[in-house]
Amino acid sequence: MSNARATVLTRRGILAAGGALGLGAVLAACGDEDAKSGGSGSGTTAAESGPWSFKDDRGKTVKADKVPANIVAFVGVAAALYDYGIQAKGVFGPTTTKDGKADVQAGDMDVSKVTVLGNEWGQFNIEKYAALAPDVLISTMFDNVGTLWYVPEESTKKILAVGAPTVGISVYDRQMTEPLQRMLALAESLGADVSTDKVKQAKKRFEDAAARLRAAARAKPDIKVMAGSASQDLFYVSGTNLSIDLEYFKALGVNFVEPPESAKKQGGGWYESLSWENVDKYPADIIMMDDRTSAIQPADITQATWKKLPAVKAGQVIARTPEPILSYDKCAPLLENLAKAIETAKKVS
């Protein structure tokens, strides 16, 4: 996990979810056909079949009389399902930017065709959620206790009271390949045809990209890579343990900067916080920077200490996606971009 993610985790208990009032009246209407037609987007054509069951990463088997049609999901999950042909009806989490365009975490989804229940941390409009008559709520999990990502803790009971079962896919302390397989299995259970040429080609591209990255890392073992993220006051250096992308890249042989565990305590074990004056603490040849809208992007970093870093001066800064969209189509380019960066990098540290 990068800085932004772990920072918001520490704020989870003090942020209030929007739209918690008036729930009773909305719940009373949930059984109406009008309520079922609320919101935008469409469900899967397989939703008429059934019964349906799926064992999630909490070890919980979720069951229903039919395959869920009205799917509500964290935006990154919805984006992954979309790549497999499954359309969510409602989403929560970073979906649109300030100018109304699709956030990077929305992937290829047409954000005008989904009901956005909350675009920022702590936002989850329960009235809109209930009006969608959801069949299931799906999110990722960034801890080992089953906390659903971007579902406000203070509103969880009211959200569960709507009646839809929940599914959690873990992205905590494992390599990228595992949640990719789990998301594929979830999509298939929801009616996706995972035997299409498109899916097969995307998986083959991912496998080829993994082989390329492994070869690049083997050819240039001295190239040091640092995973960073920028805020106004601090620069964050992520360790490889816990993050699904970095754990996988490390397993493929990439040589990462590794802050000591003692330095990552304040960041919940995910990262070390550095002042901008100390941004040069760790020598690096390539810097991977958090591409989420919650982080300051490299082009907008004005600190002189940043501009003096050898990797920055050499133009060896690339994007990192700390919350990958878990489809092979979206994850393959992440491996390809890092492989290319290592292949072309000069030793500058």
Side-chain angles (χ1 to χ4, degrees):
M1 183 184 299
S2 76
N3 60 296
R5 184 182 302 128
T7 299
V8 292
L9 275 173
T10 63
R11 295 159 46 207
R12 184 181 281 272
I14 61 174
L15 288 171
L21 300 177
L23 177 61
V26 179
L27 290 177
C30 280
D32 297 340
E33 287 303 315
D34 290 342
K36 289 184 179 179
S37 64
S40 56
S42 60
T44 71
T45 55
E48 300 303 320
S49 63
W52 175 79
S53 68
F54 183 81
K55 186 175 182 179
D56 76 357
D57 291 341
R58 299 169 296 185
K60 176 182 178 182
T61 300
V62 183
K63 297 180 180 181
D65 292 336
K66 63 179 182 178
V67 176
N70 295 349
I71 299 168
V72 174
F74 172 68
V75 60
V77 171
L81 292 176
Y82 181 86
D83 284 350
Y84 292 120
I86 304 297
Q87 174 71 60
K89 200 167 188 178
V91 299
F92 53 94
T95 306
T96 58
T97 58
K98 292 180 180 179
D99 58 5
K101 296 180 180 179
D103 188 275
V104 64
Q105 292 186 252
D108 293 333
M109 283 193 302
D110 183 345
V111 295
S112 69
K113 293 184 178 180
V114 292
T115 296
V116 181
L117 305 178
N119 201 55
E120 298 178 6
W121 184 264
Q123 294 180 348
F124 194 109
N125 192 309
I126 303 177
E127 291 96 328
K128 285 185 177 181
Y129 175 62
L132 291 174
D135 295 322
V136 67
L137 183 152
I138 312 169
S139 191
T140 48
M141 300 181 297
F142 282 93
D143 59 31
N144 58 2
V145 296
T147 305
L148 296 176
W149 188 233
Y150 263 81
V151 175
E153 280 188 340
E154 60 274 18
S155 303
T156 298
K157 289 184 179 180
K158 293 178 180 178
I159 292 168
L160 293 177
V162 173
T166 63
V167 169
I169 299 297
S170 180
V171 290
Y172 176 78
D173 194 19
R174 60 201 61 205
Q175 295 179 24
M176 181 186 289
T177 47
E178 185 174 348
L180 270 172
Q181 293 165 358
R182 295 291 291 140
M183 191 63 71
L184 182 70
L186 175 61
E188 184 176 20
S189 80
L190 293 170
D193 183 355
V194 300
S195 65
T196 64
D197 287 342
K198 179 182 178 181
V199 173
K200 290 179 180 178
Q201 290 168 6
K203 189 173 182 180
K204 177 65 163 52
R205 181 183 174 187
F206 179 86
E207 292 168 349
D208 290 346
R212 178 182 173 185
L213 181 54
R214 183 184 292 108
R218 184 182 300 118
K220 290 189 173 182
D222 294 334
I223 293 296
K224 200 79 171 178
V225 181
M226 179 167 66
S229 187
S231 69
Q232 190 64 41
D233 300 318
L234 295 170
F235 182 82
Y236 307 89
V237 180
S238 292
T240 58
N241 60 321
L242 303 185
S243 297
I244 61 170
D245 61 331
L246 302 185
E247 282 200 13
Y248 186 49
F249 300 159
K250 182 180 180 180
L252 292 174
V254 177
N255 184 8
F256 278 101
V257 167
E258 293 283 6
E261 292 301 318
S262 58
K264 295 187 294 181
K265 284 185 177 180
Q266 188 177 3
W270 294 87
Y271 62 84
E272 177 181 1
S273 305
L274 298 175
S275 66
W276 282 104
E277 289 75 16
N278 295 316
V279 73
D280 60 354
K281 179 177 179 179
Y282 298 108
D285 303 296
I286 296 172
I287 303 176
M288 303 176 68
M289 291 296 289
D290 188 342
D291 69 354
R292 293 172 298 177
T293 52
S294 57
I296 298 176
Q297 297 306 298
D300 299 319
I301 299 175
T302 59
Q303 282 80 1
T305 49
W306 163 261
K307 295 180 179 180
K308 291 179 181 178
L309 292 176
V312 175
K313 293 172 70 175
Q316 295 178 174
V317 178
I318 65 172
R320 177 200 170 203
T321 303
E323 294 184 56
I325 294 171
L326 295 171
S327 70
Y328 290 103
D329 180 72
K330 293 298 182 294
C331 286
L334 307 184
L335 279 70
E336 293 168 345
N337 293 342
L338 180 54
K340 180 180 179 180
I342 294 174
E343 290 165 352
T344 59
K346 297 178 181 180
K347 184 68 180 176
V348 296
S349 65

